[in-house]
Amino acid sequence: MRRKIVAGNWKMNGSKDLVKRLVGSISEQSGSGGVEVVIVPPAIYLSEVAEFAGGEVATGLQNVSQWQAGAYTGEISAGMARDMGCAYILVGHSERRQLFGETDGVAAEKVKQVLASGLTAMLCVGETLEEREAGEAVSVVAAQVRKGLASVSGDQWRRVVVAYEPVWAIGTGKTATAADAQAMHLEIRNVLAGMKAPANEVSVLYGGSVKADNAPALFAEPDIDGGLIGGASLKAEEFISICRAFPADA
Ligand code: PGA
């Protein structure tokens, strides 16, 4: 059975006050239904989030160093994330790719670090609007999956999650239709199968303007195993509704 996961990526938003207001109610109300709820705050608030979460929700980092340790001012290693109780690390988010020049090669190095530290890597992939309009969406996403996860093997696949986030849907209010998202998730699963991964056991999440009102249709699709939520993860009620948006029999 694949894990159902809803992860809230706060991006560079938040404060001690927000942690206090948000995390307690999320950890009290988001649970049940076998859904793994993950809060991914700015790293500096990680221990604060863990404290308010009281073990009810998992925590994650938005980014990690491609190196293990040493003279890399400003970087945070995967080992440190594990030391602080993190379970997940986002790799290759489109904002990292677009604003910080993160390549597939760098993403692959980061995935290696995450897996070597025993944590779960959440590799984010997705095409731009230009690429979609040029009919290249599937090939772009397939290449990101192949390159980002090139070094993964054997048991490590159990600690890999893929998040499909079309760049044109992130923070724009535009979401892929449930059918379009499902089609891409199936393509991703086929790519994983081609890489000798246990493709039916790897959770593939959808991200990009997921809200309480569109989550049920997305999560009802057979290959969509949850969501990576940006803006809506900063509102307790909205995020809790998304965590509960899976079909009853799923
Ligand atoms: P959004 O962001 O939900 O605000 O579109 C999603 C993401 O970037 O992970």
Side-chain angles (χ1 to χ4, degrees):
M1 259 283 272
R2 292 198 289 271
R3 277 178 294 174
K4 292 199 263 310
I5 301 168
V6 176
N9 171 15
W10 289 10
K11 309 193 179 186
M12 200 172 74
N13 296 296
S15 60
K16 270 163 73 172
D17 187 52
L18 186 86
V19 171
K20 209 163 152 189
R21 283 188 285 118
L22 212 55
V23 180
S25 48
I26 288 172
S27 60
E28 274 163 33
Q29 296 174 65
S30 62
S32 84
V35 179
E36 168 102 327
V37 178
V38 190
I39 295 182
V40 191
I44 198 164
Y45 295 120
L46 196 67
S47 47
E48 204 91 0
V49 168
E51 193 184 319
F52 281 95
E56 294 296 317
V57 301
T59 56
L61 279 188
Q62 300 175 10
N63 179 38
V64 76
S65 177
Q66 71 202 88
W67 297 288
Q68 198 181 344
Y72 301 105
T73 301
E75 293 286 278
I76 295 174
S77 75
M80 291 167 187
R82 184 191 50 208
D83 194 27
M84 293 304 288
C86 261
Y88 292 86
I89 300 188
L90 305 188
V91 175
H93 187 281
S94 70
E95 286 148 21
R96 301 293 320 168
R97 293 176 190 261
Q98 296 201 313
L99 303 172
F100 303 95
E102 199 161 302
T103 60
D104 287 319
V106 169
E109 289 302 313
K110 293 183 174 187
V111 167
K112 267 195 222 168
Q113 290 292 336
V114 174
L115 296 178
S117 298
L119 305 184
T120 296
M122 204 177 266
L123 179 75
C124 304
V125 296
E127 81 285 0
T128 62
L129 186 58
E130 223 173 25
E131 290 162 341
R132 175 156 283 259
E133 285 172 348
E136 292 164 359
V138 171
S139 60
V140 165
V141 169
Q144 289 173 339
V145 171
R146 276 192 208 102
K147 291 180 189 166
L149 300 177
S151 73
V152 183
S153 65
D155 264 8
Q156 289 183 329
W157 284 111
R158 280 192 279 152
R159 289 184 288 108
V160 169
V161 172
V162 178
Y164 169 57
E165 301 200 297
V167 177
W168 48 270
I170 294 178
T172 58
K174 291 183 198 146
T175 329
T177 63
D180 282 349
Q182 162 60 23
M184 186 63 90
H185 282 227
L186 195 56
E187 296 283 358
I188 290 171
R189 227 177 273 296
N190 289 338
V191 172
L192 291 171
M195 298 172 75
K196 308 250 181 304
N200 281 320
E201 281 153 45
V202 177
S203 298
V204 184
L205 315 184
Y206 173 79
S209 298
V210 178
K211 304 273 183 298
D213 60 1
N214 58 25
L218 289 160
F219 295 176
E221 295 293 339
D223 288 288
I224 300 182
D225 305 309
L228 180 53
I229 320 301
S233 71
L234 296 165
K235 298 172 201 144
E237 258 180 57
E238 184 90 12
F239 187 65
I240 291 162
S241 303
I242 295 170
C243 293
R244 294 176 171 168
F246 292 88
D249 59 344

